């Protein structure tokens, strides 16, 4: 058995595996021609599991990007495109792949890793835990029609004002842990779609020096094509900016019957609509994460300058993280002192990202508070989390 990063000729096998595992068609011959004409060595981030005969049985990709934590972009990653051929399942292929990928990420300075699981308990074996509740609202645009705004509205063509939209997103995203720090390439991808051929609309909203933006596209439901529309991307810097976005959406009553929008937990949409019974609100615990490098993560943890506490961390999958750490206002060091707090990597990840407060974490069986509880309670608090990245 061998686990290694993909090289150029492995990409055909990747397509074959994905076709079988995800039950989707792939044009292998066209793909082969494209790879033959490509000068690069392979697609960055893909890893494969090969048996003793050199045949590939499973693959996945580690997407590398920067995400916000405490208002600053930090190195992070996302596990995606996980697939195993049926004949290689239940043989530990994904365990071997994640072992190689996460150890490589640890060496490369990745602070935390995220993923969308097909099964939560499966990924808990590798130290991942739920960290984000996705709040989705489905409502008729009439419910927003009474929201007034005098912001100027400007329609954008696809690809227009990309650097400005990137800045607006990053100003918005730095308020939320795990929100991706975007480059212009990310913005172009998230706002993809031509208005006329793909029915995707892009708007810039302005008043004075403040700006917001919105991208949405029509989708099909029981009432036919484009009866509903999904908010693809947006950013706002203040409640006024959000009201400007919602006011624009409230003008679309003639074209669409439903709006589908995902919002951060700290945005109280229910208090802004006229009839709450008309709004469907879904909260789904979807994404999982794990801290990849505990020492690096603790150095980023917001804390008082005069604090001092010790925390013992267990991590069965990345044993190099397992240690007791002494955390002060400006240092994080390994220590032999008795711990004030004992946690598993899964509970630490939830505490660190801000998904759980210390008092909420007490309900987990892998959390034990030994001392210094008042200080720990002031440090481990709920923090705003929001992300819409897909991989």
């Amino acid at each position: 058995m061998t686990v290694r990063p993909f090289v150029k000729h492995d990409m055909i096998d990747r397509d074959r595996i994905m076709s079988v595992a995800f039950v989707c068609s792939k044009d292998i011959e066209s793909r082969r021609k494209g790879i033959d004409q490509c000068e690069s060595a392979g697609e960055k981030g893909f890893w494969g599991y090969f048996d003793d005969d050199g045949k590939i049985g499973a693959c996945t990709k580690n997407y590398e990007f920067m995400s916000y934590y405490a208002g600053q972009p930090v190195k992070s990653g996302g596990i995606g495109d996980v697939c195993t051929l049926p004949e290689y399942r239940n043989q530990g292929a994904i365990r071997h792949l994640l072992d190689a990928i996460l150890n490589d990420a640890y060496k490369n300075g990745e602070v935390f890793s995220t993923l969308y699981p097909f099964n939560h308990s499966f990924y808990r074996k590798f130290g991942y835990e739920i960290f984000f509740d996705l709040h989705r609202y489905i409502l008729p645009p009439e419910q927003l029609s009474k929201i007034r705004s005098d912001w100027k509205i400007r329609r954008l063509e696809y690809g227009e004002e990309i650097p400005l939209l990137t800045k607006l997103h990053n100003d918005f995203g730095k308020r939320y842990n795990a929100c991706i720090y975007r480059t212009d390439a990310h913005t172009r991808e998230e706002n993809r779609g031509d208005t006329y051929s793909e029915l995707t609309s892009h708007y810039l909203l302005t008043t004075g020096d403040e700006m917001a933006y919105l991208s949405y596209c029509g989708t099909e439901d029981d009432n036919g094509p484009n009866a509903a529309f999904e908010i693809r991307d947006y950013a706002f810097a203040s409640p006024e900016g959000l009201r400007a976005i919602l006011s624009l959406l409230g003008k679309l009553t003639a074209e669409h019957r439903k709006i589908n929008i995902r919002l951060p937990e700290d945005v109280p949409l229910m208090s802004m609509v006229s009839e709450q019974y008309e709004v469907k609100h879904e909260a789904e615990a979807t994404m999982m994460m794990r801290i990849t490098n505990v020492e690096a993560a603790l150095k980023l943890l917001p804390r008082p300058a005069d604090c001092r506490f010790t925390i013992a961390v267990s991590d069965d999958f990345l044993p190099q993280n397992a240690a007791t750490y002494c955390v002060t206002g400006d240092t994080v060091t390994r220590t032999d002192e008795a711990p004030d707090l004992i946690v598993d990597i899964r509970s630490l990840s939830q505490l660190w990202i801000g998904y759980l407060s210390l008092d909420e974490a007490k309900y987990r069986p892998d959390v034990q508070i030994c001392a210094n509880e008042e200080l720990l309670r002031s440090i481990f608090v709920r923090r705003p989390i929001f992300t819409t990245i897909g991989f």
Side-chain angles (χ1 to χ4, degrees):
M1 180 275 297
T2 302
V3 172
R4 60 168 173 79
F6 274 10
V7 294
K8 182 177 177 179
H9 69 267
D10 294 321
M11 300 309 292
I12 291 292
D13 287 328
R14 182 207 67 168
D15 282 9
R16 289 187 177 122
I17 289 178
M18 294 181 74
S19 177
V20 173
F22 296 144
V23 195
C24 60
S25 61
K26 296 282 186 180
D27 189 339
I28 300 298
E29 288 308 311
S30 295
R31 177 66 168 161
R32 189 191 308 278
K33 292 177 182 178
I35 291 173
D36 289 341
Q37 295 170 2
C38 182
E39 296 180 357
S40 63
E43 189 170 340
K44 182 177 172 59
F46 267 103
W47 291 67
Y49 170 91
F50 301 82
D51 66 17
D52 293 337
D53 295 324
K55 295 180 180 179
I56 185 168
C59 68
T60 188
K61 182 175 182 179
N62 186 33
Y63 292 83
E64 296 180 10
F65 47 87
M66 304 290 282
S67 296
Y68 280 106
Y69 180 78
Q72 299 296 322
V74 302
K75 198 169 185 178
S76 56
I79 303 297
D81 302 311
V82 181
C83 49
T84 309
L85 290 172
E87 59 267 36
Y88 287 89
R89 293 176 185 173
N90 300 319
Q91 298 180 26
I94 300 304
R95 172 175 289 275
H96 288 299
L97 280 167
L98 288 179
D99 179 67
I101 288 173
L102 291 176
N103 274 282
D104 183 70
Y106 180 96
K107 295 174 186 175
N108 291 333
E110 187 178 296
V111 180
F112 67 101
S113 173
T114 57
L115 55 79
Y116 289 90
F118 78 95
N119 179 288
H120 290 96
S121 61
F122 178 82
Y123 284 101
R124 285 193 179 99
K125 296 182 293 186
F126 312 121
Y128 287 86
E129 189 51 275
I130 293 168
F131 81 101
F132 171 58
D133 295 336
L134 176 65
H135 289 264
R136 184 187 302 275
Y137 298 85
I138 302 173
L139 68 159
E142 287 86 356
Q143 292 303 311
L144 305 176
S145 61
K146 293 182 180 180
I147 298 176
R148 301 298 182 207
S149 172
D150 59 0
W151 285 39
K152 293 181 179 179
I153 302 171
R154 175 186 160 198
R155 176 185 289 275
L156 300 177
E157 299 296 334
Y158 171 60
E160 188 180 0
E161 299 284 12
I162 292 297
L164 174 59
L165 300 188
T166 298
K167 181 182 184 305
L168 292 175
H169 167 84
N170 287 336
D171 289 344
F172 168 77
K174 68 176 59 174
R175 305 201 299 266
Y176 299 101
N177 283 350
C179 193
I180 188 172
Y181 169 83
R182 276 193 193 162
T183 64
D184 288 346
H186 290 135
T187 301
R188 190 171 286 105
E189 173 64 19
E190 291 300 319
N191 288 274
R192 66 192 181 278
D194 176 73
T195 300
Y196 312 106
S197 62
E198 300 176 73
L199 304 179
T200 301
S201 297
H202 315 280
Y203 288 97
L204 182 67
L205 303 97
T206 61
T207 179
D209 294 331
E210 190 173 349
M211 299 182 182
Y213 77 84
L214 168 71
S215 294
Y216 64 85
C217 64
T219 59
E220 186 171 353
D221 70 2
D222 294 339
N223 294 307
N226 301 308
F229 66 103
E230 181 169 1
I231 310 306
R232 293 272 296 274
D233 198 24
Y234 61 83
F236 55 88
S238 68
E240 290 75 21
L242 174 62
R243 282 196 288 271
I245 289 174
L246 298 179
S247 176
L248 173 57
L249 295 176
K251 300 177 189 298
L252 304 178
T253 55
E255 297 95 330
H256 305 286
R257 298 187 182 183
K258 292 180 182 177
I259 299 170
N260 188 327
I261 185 171
R262 296 166 290 179
L263 288 170
E265 188 175 12
D266 61 351
V267 174
L269 182 65
M270 283 298 196
S271 70
M272 304 174 73
V273 299
S274 56
E275 182 51 74
Q276 285 78 9
Y277 279 123
E278 296 294 322
V279 182
K280 182 179 181 181
H281 176 203
E282 301 173 343
E284 183 180 4
T286 53
M287 292 185 72
M288 302 181 80
M289 65 154 286
R290 63 157 292 142
I291 292 173
T292 310
N293 186 312
V294 169
E295 187 170 341
L298 290 175
K299 287 179 179 178
L300 297 167
L301 180 69
R303 57 194 187 274
D306 59 349
C307 77
R308 188 182 189 282
F309 65 91
T310 52
I311 179 169
V313 182
S314 58
D315 189 342
D316 294 337
F317 199 68
L318 287 180
Q320 59 267 47
N321 280 323
T324 300
Y325 299 86
C326 177
V327 182
T328 67
D330 55 3
T331 63
V332 175
T333 56
R334 298 191 179 214
T335 182
D336 293 327
E337 298 178 51
D340 297 325
L341 179 65
I342 301 173
V343 291
D344 179 81
I345 191 64
R346 289 166 280 269
S347 53
L348 176 62
S349 296
Q350 290 186 322
L351 284 164
W352 179 80
I353 201 72
Y355 183 74
L356 293 182
S357 67
L358 183 72
D359 286 331
E360 291 168 325
K362 289 178 180 178
Y363 291 91
R364 289 187 59 100
D366 55 357
V367 174
Q368 182 179 349
I369 303 170
C370 306
N372 224 352
E373 184 168 349
E374 184 175 350
L375 172 63
L376 293 171
R377 182 179 290 111
S378 70
I379 292 172
F380 293 111
V381 297
R382 274 190 170 263
R383 304 183 190 277
I385 303 168
F386 184 63
T387 184
T388 58
I389 189 172
F391 39 75

